[in-house]
Amino acid sequence: MALKTYAELDINITDVNSTTLVPALNGRQGDNNREVFLWLKNGKQGYDLTGKTVTLYVKDAAGVVKTASTMNDQTGLSTGHFSLLIPSAVYQAPGAVQDSYIQIKQNDTVTTSIPVAFNVVENTMLVTQTQSETYLDSVQKLVDDANKRLATATTNLQSVENAIQALQVTINNLNSQFNSDLFAQKAKDNTFTGTNTFNGKGVFNGDINANYAKVTGNIDAGGDTHFKSTTLDSWSFANGGFEVSGGLKNHGNILSDTLNVSGNVTAGDASLKSVNAPGWSTFSGGIDATNITNEGWANFKNGIAVTAGNSTFSGSIDSKRTVQADIWDNGLNGHLIRSGNQVTIRLYGTLIYDHASFTTLLWSIPTGYRPLVESDILASVGFTKGLIRVFPDGSAGNIDQTFYATSGKNNGGDNVAYGFGSWTTTDDFPS
């Protein structure tokens, strides 16, 4: 592979009358797309051409104006290296060009113009000599682009005509098939003998009768739904009631006015106006109901909320949800544990500063653990014992004793804190 030889040009014009002879630009009549390698420099450093345009302006030996701006090799633009393709129009008139310069622009701003000179050698081998004509590279690109679009449009028009003919054949075939029994028709009774899959949402205003139905989407039925076997992976909504003689297993949510299940219920979230479950029920999400009657066990992993009505449980309610948090005040610290609606606190730490009696602590009991009413904590530091009172807004205060950070001042004891307390909260569980 031939080595690239770059002609070096300085963008700084120190003498307006000086012109740089660039032998690389020399060409012979008839040369087309002659590639010239140029290196633009700012002093000794390469000049960054990123985002800039470079155009060669020429008034040839016959006095006719030409321009060229097509870059070929742009891999070195950041260091000022590039190649310019010179069209044959520049090499029409033999002899030294009358005037020529390389212009650099960024957007609409000209940053520099570098005067250059070169020669066009007469080609005596040309069969015909053409008169030099004006050639503007930007205009020629527009003309070439228009010709290309016109040719593409002609080809596309023929393709459209062929597509229309093919589409008409397809429509005729579809009409023939539609009039047969291959497709279900709205105004007729239809029988499906194979396996049918509906990935979207099915809305049925009448009754649904099926021996087996597996639904991965949703069921919204205004009438009755009768299934011998049903697997529901999403949520189900029934305006009337939902009655299952066996067991009901639903991976999503159940929305129903009435739910009667003689077996077991396993579901995600259930929003029900009336629930009668003689067996046991497990809800991995939660349940929001007007009335709940349960004769067996009820296990709610995320809690239970009854917005209206009563909740009656003949068996037991088991809530295993537990959250924890810590509060601090310079060594007088507390560890909070909430299980259900009950909160307990254990004091711990080594005092750094004294905590005077009848002062407010730096504690801020977070939402989710705050007491329903004012509650007291039995606190000890060394051999000094006292009470800390917590309030529904999360604040707390030392009531009747001063706890010292200096070991030995707490009735002869050290400065280690310990103690405990408990209260009821109606806060929502923290996220």
Side-chain angles (χ1 to χ4, degrees):
M1 182 177 67
L3 295 176
K4 300 176 183 178
T5 302
Y6 290 88
E8 299 182 16
L9 295 172
D10 197 325
I11 66 168
N12 299 306
I13 304 174
T14 57
D15 184 355
V16 295
N17 296 317
S18 66
T19 301
T20 302
L21 180 64
V22 183
L25 287 170
N26 293 341
R28 188 179 298 276
Q29 277 184 297
D31 286 356
N32 186 34
N33 286 336
R34 181 182 179 86
E35 187 172 19
V36 178
F37 292 91
L38 301 173
W39 183 13
L40 300 188
K41 303 173 67 177
N42 184 2
K44 295 183 180 180
Q45 301 295 325
Y47 180 65
D48 189 359
L49 292 171
T50 304
K52 302 179 178 66
T53 59
V54 180
T55 305
L56 172 67
Y57 288 87
V58 179
K59 181 183 285 187
D60 66 8
V64 180
V65 176
K66 327 275 185 171
T67 64
S69 60
T70 302
M71 287 187 181
N72 187 34
D73 187 353
Q74 304 182 46
T75 57
L77 285 181
S78 62
T79 59
H81 294 79
F82 69 99
S83 70
L84 201 62
L85 295 181
I86 311 301
S88 60
V90 175
Y91 298 115
Q92 285 182 327
V97 297
Q98 295 183 17
D99 189 17
S100 180
Y101 62 90
I102 294 176
Q103 183 188 81
I104 303 173
K105 290 179 65 176
Q106 186 164 18
N107 298 325
D108 295 328
T109 302
V110 177
T111 59
T112 187
S113 296
I114 308 169
V116 295
F118 63 93
N119 292 281
V120 178
V121 180
E122 182 179 7
N123 188 349
T124 58
M125 304 299 291
L126 291 176
V127 176
T128 58
Q129 294 285 345
T130 59
Q131 185 177 0
S132 181
E133 298 175 347
T134 300
Y135 179 86
L136 301 180
D137 181 67
S138 59
V139 175
Q140 187 62 40
K141 288 180 179 178
L142 291 176
V143 173
D144 293 341
D145 183 64
N147 290 334
K148 184 183 296 183
R149 290 174 181 269
L150 182 60
T152 302
T154 302
T155 302
N156 290 342
L157 182 59
Q158 183 62 47
S159 299
V160 170
E161 292 178 352
N162 294 337
I164 290 174
Q165 295 176 2
L167 179 60
Q168 186 61 53
V169 173
T170 301
I171 291 174
N172 292 338
N173 291 335
L174 287 175
N175 285 333
S176 298
Q177 294 179 8
F178 181 76
N179 292 327
S180 67
D181 60 354
L182 296 177
F183 294 97
Q185 299 183 40
K186 183 176 180 180
K188 296 183 179 180
D189 294 333
N190 300 282
T191 301
F192 299 92
T193 57
T195 299
N196 299 276
T197 301
F198 303 90
N199 293 322
K201 182 178 180 180
V203 179
F204 304 89
N205 295 322
D207 295 343
I208 302 174
N209 295 294
N211 291 328
Y212 176 80
K214 182 176 182 180
V215 183
T216 58
N218 305 325
I219 295 178
D220 188 348
D224 295 333
T225 306
H226 303 277
F227 300 105
K228 292 184 178 179
S229 177
T230 309
T231 300
L232 306 174
D233 292 326
S234 187
W235 62 266
S236 306
F237 181 83
N239 290 328
F242 213 88
E243 184 173 351
V244 182
S245 58
L248 176 64
K249 183 176 182 180
N250 186 60
H251 298 294
N253 304 328
I254 299 176
L255 306 176
S256 178
D257 288 350
T258 304
L259 178 63
N260 293 316
V261 183
S262 59
N264 301 327
V265 177
T266 300
D269 289 338
S271 181
L272 309 166
K273 292 185 178 179
S274 178
V275 181
N276 183 6
W280 60 266
S281 306
T282 299
F283 299 91
S284 58
I287 181 167
D288 183 2
T290 304
N291 294 289
I292 299 177
T293 300
N294 185 60
E295 298 176 6
W297 289 88
N299 186 353
F300 303 95
K301 296 181 180 179
N302 291 331
I304 178 171
V306 181
T307 58
N310 301 316
S311 299
T312 302
F313 294 90
S314 301
S316 302
I317 300 178
D318 183 13
S319 177
K320 297 182 179 180
R321 186 173 183 185
T322 301
V323 290
Q324 302 183 50
D326 284 273
I327 49 179
W328 299 272
D329 183 355
N330 296 302
L332 184 57
N333 310 322
H335 181 69
L336 298 164
I337 300 177
R338 175 178 175 178
S339 180
N341 287 340
Q342 195 67 22
V343 178
T344 58
I345 183 171
R346 178 182 62 83
L347 302 186
Y348 68 95
T350 301
L351 269 62
I352 302 174
Y353 296 107
D354 294 345
H355 291 70
S357 60
F358 304 105
T359 58
T360 301
L361 300 180
L362 298 179
W363 290 357
S364 179
I365 298 176
T367 302
Y369 302 87
R370 295 178 178 181
L372 178 63
V373 296
E374 294 180 8
S375 302
D376 293 334
I377 301 171
L378 179 61
S380 296
V381 177
F383 296 139
T384 299
K385 302 188 183 300
L387 294 177
I388 295 176
R389 182 159 297 165
V390 294
F391 301 92
D393 64 356
S395 61
N398 192 7
I399 299 299
D400 56 357
Q401 292 290 340
T402 296
F403 298 123
Y404 294 98
T406 302
S407 181
K409 295 185 67 176
N410 294 299
N411 291 324
D414 55 23
N415 58 342
V416 176
Y418 57 95
F420 66 92
S422 178
W423 58 81
T424 300
T425 182
T426 57
D427 287 355
D428 292 336
F429 263 88
S431 58

